Amino acid sequence: MSDTIEPVVIEKVRHVGKAVDGDTELTPDTPLLERQLLDSVELLQLVMELESAFGISIPLEELVEENFADVNRVVALVERARERAA
Amino acid sequence: MSRIVDDLIARAQAAGDEAALAWKDGAIPGRRFWDGVAGRAESLSRSGVAQGDRVAIWLPKGPATVETLFAVMINGAIAVPIDPGFPAARATAVLGEIGPAMLVTDGKRRDMLAGGAVERSRVVVTDAMEGSEPGGDPLARKAIGEDDPAMILMTSGSTGTPKGIVLTHGNLAAFSDWAIGQFGLTREDRFFSLAPLHFDLSLLDVLTSQRLGASVYLVGETEALFPGPVAMALERQRATVFYSVPTTLQRLLSHGGLADRDLGALRWLLFAGEVFPAPVLAALMEAVPEPGYANLYGPTETNVVSCKLLDAAPELGEKPNVGLPCPHSDISIRDEHGNKLATGETGEICVAGPTVTQGYWRRPDLTASAFSDAPDRLYHTGDYGYFDEAGDLRYLGRRDRQAKLRGYRVELEEVELTAMDTGLVEGAAATVADGALCLHVVAHDPKAFAPSALTRALAERLPRYALPDRVEMHEAFPTTSSGKVDMQALAECAGGTDA
């Protein structure tokens, strides 16, 4: 399932991140926060876009550093939310 | 004699095992913190940094950064904190503007800088807690005057280069004295520092806390991105004083579960930097009823000059009330000729008093256009407002092109000049609507132009908060009858495609 989530997450990160465009290297383990690719507003926008793309709800408790460290962690976050919804 | 430095040295001499600084992964007691400051002060002296030299500090927020900041000031040098999130080109521009004798940074940031900027400065790379050797020599006391510069805080400049606001030791003391008296701050308080160190808000939570011998919790840059953990830290630290900006408080409320936290220890929730939307403030005051609330007002050039203590949120539609002038501030409302206006009359808000800074570092032209000396040092804020019958200052906004975006001050001309500088556009005009920045452009080659490429190029030159939320392409800009770009028409058509 994660191989279908990952491209969407990468596309959403490119969409919300002002400092990110098509040329920015973005792999599953690119450190999103350490490289300052997303700011506080963009992170919340990313959450909202993921929620509507996957029809999920990400609880506030899940909005923590560890879940956004890289694309892999965000994919895992989406998977957990989908399992809860299923 | 600098009262701030006197007080800090007295605190250093009296420091013991009580907590001074805390952060996500640790805490440091007063004794060790001041040993660290002394070690760094000694190391700065050994490196030849003299009084009056600038020392740029480009580091993430943390205990080592605060130690360095204090060491620089106590040595009589001028501390220049640089936004740790700045792209390399902008940090380089700041170094060029300030000409520091030394740059204190880390390996990652040093590698980001182009050779030239590094060669001009003597680069010292610090490591986490290097310099904090317990039991070293005590802090040496230098002859530092109240009129000597202590810090330079960088702000957006309409010329396309950031400009440095020069704060003297006396400026810092005047603000700190006022805050201590106004809010009854003591060494028992626990300050919560969420604002970055290059913001004047940190003169309360970081500088004043240590002047008092109180403790402060430092929220790191990455930690600050997540409202939930920040709200938990406020509760866990039993913070008593929190000084922030409305945008941040709003996010803590909407996405941080602030209402569910036990904030019984909080005595004061202070905010400044932008107008707090009344309904959001009302919701915050209902969700967090414990502390006293106060809206502070003043640009970085004067620090806080007025204060409105709030028992309840303002009425909808009321003109923003920024309160009574602080006792140290002489606020006047003036017309375009500099004549004072009467109560109820609208004009430019002008300020005299001991918090009014010296001006902009090595920018006599910019300083002369905003500061005057007739007969007292007067800063023309560029903010407009009036005094109401109760003596409260009412803020009505600006008539120039300085904008506030999520609490950050941005000169729209700087964004336009930087966009032109990328070579991707032949025209650029920035407008702000509902807190969002729209950059209107005329592309050199409309078929090949990608808005995201422009934003990306801007991200290499501008701070994150100054990047456009939207880029709008135009074939040509609408013009007014006099042939100027019609900014009004541009602002009205904002609201199209995503960047």
Side-chain angles (χ1 to χ4, degrees):
Chain A
M1 190 158 66
S2 67
D3 47 338
T4 58
I5 299 173
E6 190 184 289
V8 178
V9 170
I10 290 180
E11 184 225 310
K12 295 295 177 196
V13 170
R14 287 197 198 282
H15 183 244
V16 303
K18 288 185 206 164
V20 186
D21 77 352
D23 297 334
T24 309
E25 187 202 346
L26 208 52
T27 65
D29 49 11
T30 302
L32 298 175
L33 303 177
E34 199 189 305
R35 294 236 183 118
Q36 303 174 31
L37 294 180
L38 298 172
D39 71 12
S40 56
V41 176
E42 292 161 2
L43 274 166
L44 292 181
Q45 201 186 334
L46 175 66
V47 168
M48 284 190 288
E49 296 206 0
L50 291 172
E51 287 182 330
S52 80
F54 293 103
I56 53 173
S57 168
I58 298 173
L60 290 180
E61 309 87 78
E62 294 264 40
L63 303 186
V64 295
E65 203 172 319
E66 296 71 28
N67 289 341
F68 293 85
D70 56 28
V71 170
N72 281 330
R73 301 292 191 89
V74 181
V75 170
L77 172 70
V78 171
E79 280 179 338
R80 283 200 301 280
R82 288 182 112 183
E83 278 161 22
R84 271 195 305 272
Chain B
M1 199 58 199
S2 165
R3 283 181 295 136
I4 288 281
V5 170
D6 266 7
D7 290 347
L8 293 179
I9 289 179
R11 287 301 164 198
Q13 287 164 347
D17 295 332
E18 73 291 346
L21 270 53
W23 59 98
K24 193 180 170 202
D25 307 309
I28 182 172
R31 181 70 269 145
R32 269 191 53 213
F33 170 68
W34 287 107
D35 281 347
V37 175
R40 282 168 198 275
E42 170 63 27
S43 149
L44 286 166
S45 295
R46 267 203 316 271
S47 308
V49 172
Q51 281 188 238
D53 280 349
R54 279 80 60 213
V55 176
I57 305 170
W58 193 31
L59 285 171
K61 192 170 173 184
T65 311
V66 174
E67 284 183 4
T68 306
L69 184 74
F70 282 27
V72 171
M73 284 172 43
I74 289 172
N75 269 11
I78 307 171
V80 191
I82 301 178
D83 186 340
F86 269 2
R90 193 170 179 85
T92 305
V94 170
L95 296 176
E97 184 77 13
I98 298 303
M102 181 185 274
L103 165 66
V104 185
T105 188
D106 53 16
K108 175 184 147 193
R109 288 177 174 78
R110 182 194 50 194
D111 294 345
M112 282 166 62
L113 288 177
V118 174
E119 279 155 25
R120 277 196 298 279
S121 294
R122 189 200 295 250
V123 181
V124 172
V125 181
T126 65
D127 225 10
M129 287 305 290
E130 173 203 2
S132 80
E133 294 158 31
D137 289 335
L139 282 163
R141 196 179 286 263
K142 308 273 171 70
I144 303 169
E146 290 288 66
D147 289 335
D148 291 339
M151 285 181 105
I152 296 177
L153 297 178
M154 304 307 299
T155 189
S156 175
S158 56
T159 57
T161 317
K163 59 191 181 197
I165 301 168
V166 182
L167 285 74
T168 62
H169 285 264
N171 292 151
L172 300 181
F175 164 71
S176 180
D177 288 347
W178 168 77
I180 290 169
Q182 175 71 50
F183 303 113
L185 307 176
T186 72
R187 63 176 308 178
E188 305 302 319
D189 275 306
R190 292 177 297 276
F191 292 72
F192 194 80
S193 167
L194 182 55
L197 292 174
H198 57 276
F199 256 42
D200 53 7
L201 276 68
S202 66
L203 300 177
L204 181 78
D205 42 51
V206 174
L207 182 68
T208 302
S209 70
Q210 296 314 297
R211 185 185 184 201
L212 287 166
S215 67
V216 60
Y217 180 82
L218 306 171
V219 181
E221 286 82 11
T222 306
E223 188 182 2
L225 294 174
F226 297 92
V230 170
M232 306 260 275
L234 258 174
E235 176 184 83
R236 191 176 63 242
Q237 296 296 323
R238 295 167 40 245
T240 63
V241 181
F242 180 27
Y243 183 18
S244 191
V245 293
T247 302
T248 299
L249 294 169
Q250 183 169 358
R251 194 168 65 242
L252 288 175
L253 186 65
S254 62
H255 291 85
L258 198 63
D260 300 329
R261 304 271 67 86
D262 173 6
L263 300 179
L266 195 58
R267 299 202 301 121
W268 287 106
L269 215 172
L270 313 175
F271 60 88
E274 59 190 343
V275 175
F276 212 140
V280 184
L281 179 55
L284 178 67
M285 292 175 89
E286 195 185 327
V288 186
E290 295 91 349
Y293 284 76
N295 183 0
L296 313 189
Y297 163 79
T300 305
E301 284 87 340
T302 67
N303 210 327
V304 175
V305 295
S306 79
C307 168
K308 178 67 184 172
L309 298 173
L310 294 156
D311 296 323
E315 303 284 323
L316 260 183
E318 196 186 318
K319 299 293 180 209
N321 186 338
V322 293
L324 298 170
C326 302
H328 60 258
S329 302
D330 177 10
I331 302 181
S332 49
I333 304 296
R334 296 180 185 242
D335 65 16
E336 62 271 34
H337 306 296
N339 300 315
K340 288 188 187 182
L341 298 174
T343 296
E345 292 182 322
T346 296
E348 187 177 16
I349 301 171
C350 296
V351 185
T355 59
V356 176
T357 51
Q358 291 191 331
Y360 306 108
W361 179 256
R362 288 190 181 158
R363 287 291 179 134
D365 50 334
L366 298 177
T367 301
S369 68
F371 293 81
S372 63
D373 285 304
D376 294 324
R377 186 86 175 143
L378 190 71
Y379 176 64
H380 303 254
T381 62
D383 289 343
Y384 284 77
Y386 65 91
F387 278 112
D388 66 17
E389 293 297 333
D392 282 335
L393 182 60
R394 301 286 181 150
Y395 171 81
L396 298 178
R398 297 185 69 87
R399 293 179 186 173
D400 60 6
R401 306 200 53 226
Q402 184 187 107
K404 279 291 176 83
L405 299 167
R406 300 167 197 151
Y408 292 94
R409 175 168 150 181
V410 176
E411 299 284 351
L412 297 179
E413 282 153 316
E414 181 172 24
V415 179
E416 294 164 357
L417 287 167
T418 310
M420 297 296 286
D421 220 32
T422 63
L424 297 171
V425 297
E426 56 189 45
T431 60
V432 174
D434 294 331
L437 176 61
C438 182
L439 185 61
H440 305 265
V441 297
V442 177
H444 274 307
D445 180 356
K447 288 198 186 75
F449 179 77
S452 64
L454 175 62
T455 308
R456 175 78 197 287
L458 290 174
E460 288 170 8
R461 297 166 170 86
L462 288 174
R464 179 68 69 103
Y465 51 80
L467 297 180
D469 296 288
R470 276 200 312 277
V471 174
E472 291 243 338
M473 278 227 295
H474 298 259
E475 279 181 28
F477 286 149
T479 52
T480 62
S481 53
S482 63
K484 291 182 185 163
V485 174
D486 188 343
M487 300 303 288
Q488 192 67 37
L490 281 179
E492 280 162 14
C493 77
T497 54
D498 274 354

